[in-house]
C-alpha cells in the first residue's frame, strides 16, 4: 500500500458558508430589523388581554379544569343489582352503568329518579336527599 492509495474513513465536512450566497448569513433567516430580529424576542399575546376582559362564569380560572360528576338514577340500580348488593363506583363501572375514564377518580352521584324496592348498601358515592330517602325506605344504607 502506498500513500496515494489511502482513503479516509469519514467524508470531509464542508465548511459552513456565512454571508451572501451561503446559508444562515447576514440576518440569519430573521428578516430585517425589529423585535423579531432580536435575540430572545418574545411577543406578548394580545388576544390574552381580550380574553381577560370578557366576563367569566363564577369559579372560572385560567389553567384549571373541573371534573364533572357522573350521575346514576335509583331506577338503574333497581334493574342492575339484586337484593343485598354492595354498590361502589368501581362496581358501577365494572357493570358498565357509568363510564369512568381509566385512571381517573370521577365522583359518582346517585339521584332519586325512579322507585327502589331492593335493600342496597351504597359506599363511596355522593347521594341526593331524595335518593337517600328511597334507599333507606327500602331497607338499605348509605355510607361515606
Amino acid at each position: 500500500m502506498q500513500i496515494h492509495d489511502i482513503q479516509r474513513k469519514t467524508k470531509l465536512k464542508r465548511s459552513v458558508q456565512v454571508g451572501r450566497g451561503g446559508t444562515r448569513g447576514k440576518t440569519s433567516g430573521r428578516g430585517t430589523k425589529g423585535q423579531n430580529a432580536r435575540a430572545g424576542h418574545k411577543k406578548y399575546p394580545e388576544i390574552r388581554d381580550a380574553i381577560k376582559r370578557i366576563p367569566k362564569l363564577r369559579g372560572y380560572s385560567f389553567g384549571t379544569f373541573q371534573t364533572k360528576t357522573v350521575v346514576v338514577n335509583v331506577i338503574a340500580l333497581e334493574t342492575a343489582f339484586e337484593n343485598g348488593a354492595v354498590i361502589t363506583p368501581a362496581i358501577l363501572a365494572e357493570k358498565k352503568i357509568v363510564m369512568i375514564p381509566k385512571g381517573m377518580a370521577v365522583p359518582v352521584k346517585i339521584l332519586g329518579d325512579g322507585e327502589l324496592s331492593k335493600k342496597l348498601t351504597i359506599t363511596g358515592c355522593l347521594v341526593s336527599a331524595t335518593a337517600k330517602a328511597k334507599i333507606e325506605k327500602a331497607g338499605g344504607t348509605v355510607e361515606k
Side-chain angles (χ1 to χ4, degrees):
M1 180 187 288
Q2 300 209 359
I3 194 82
H4 64 271
D5 293 329
I6 297 172
Q7 291 185 344
R8 48 176 40 251
K9 288 182 180 179
T10 56
K11 285 186 177 180
L12 215 103
K13 279 191 176 180
R14 284 184 59 211
S15 64
V16 178
Q17 289 182 312
V18 177
R20 294 177 64 190
T23 56
R24 297 281 178 260
K26 195 171 181 276
T27 52
S28 300
R30 289 180 179 269
T32 56
K33 295 175 259 184
Q35 184 180 7
N36 292 341
R38 305 291 178 244
H41 78 280
K42 191 167 188 179
K43 281 188 175 175
Y44 184 80
E46 292 177 24
I47 190 71
R48 192 166 194 275
D49 291 337
I51 292 169
K52 293 286 267 182
R53 265 188 241 117
I54 296 168
K56 311 295 186 302
L57 291 173
R58 206 178 80 173
Y60 180 86
S61 176
F62 283 98
T64 61
F65 64 95
Q66 297 169 341
T67 56
K68 291 190 176 181
T69 307
V70 180
V71 175
V72 180
N73 281 306
V74 169
I75 196 158
L77 303 178
E78 173 74 27
T79 56
F81 294 97
E82 60 276 346
N83 198 14
V86 177
I87 298 168
T88 62
I91 293 169
L92 289 170
E94 190 178 293
K95 287 210 172 205
K96 297 187 177 165
I97 296 168
V98 295
M99 292 298 292
I100 297 175
K102 200 168 192 177
M104 288 187 72
V106 179
V108 176
K109 185 163 188 174
I110 297 168
L111 302 180
D113 189 24
E115 291 301 318
L116 185 68
S117 61
K118 297 174 183 173
K119 183 180 176 181
L120 301 172
T121 305
I122 294 165
T123 58
C125 296
L126 302 169
V127 182
S128 70
T130 54
K132 187 174 183 179
K134 287 180 182 182
I135 292 162
E136 288 174 349
K137 184 181 172 187
T141 58
V142 177
E143 301 167 5
K144 282 285 175 185

